[in-house]
Amino acid sequence: MPRVEITVPEHLEMQIAQMVEQGEFLNREEAVEELLSTGIKAFKTSGPRDDDEDSGGFEDEGMMGHEDEYVF
């Protein structure tokens, strides 16, 4: 699985740590993976859709950089 390094505001880090402490997730890595996945799914269902026939992959929209580099 590709590895991604991100910087988040302190209040988000505190919320993630709290969810892990409360047992919602096993660890920070699992929490971030699940929360990102959920956010992407929510965006896809409620985000802007210019063309329904367009495959609309993130790669086409410039969300991913070269090879394993992710740009947010």
Side-chain angles (χ1 to χ4, degrees):
M1 182 180 310
R3 296 192 56 84
V4 177
E5 183 177 321
I6 62 169
T7 302
V8 297
E10 188 173 332
H11 72 278
L12 292 179
E13 170 57 30
M14 289 173 56
Q15 290 177 359
I16 292 169
Q18 185 178 22
M19 285 186 264
V20 172
E21 287 175 18
Q22 293 173 346
E24 304 244 0
F25 302 100
L26 294 176
N27 54 45
R28 289 177 53 218
E29 183 177 326
E30 179 187 275
V32 171
E33 182 180 343
E34 181 66 28
L35 294 167
L36 281 173
S37 178
T38 301
I40 289 170
K41 288 175 188 172
F43 179 82
K44 284 183 174 183
T45 60
S46 65
R49 302 289 290 184
D50 292 337
D51 184 4
D52 289 347
E53 293 182 27
D54 181 25
S55 63
F58 285 117
E59 298 84 0
D60 297 336
E61 297 177 17
M63 293 296 287
M64 294 178 65
H66 302 288
E67 296 182 21
D68 337 347
E69 179 183 329
Y70 290 80
V71 180
F72 296 95

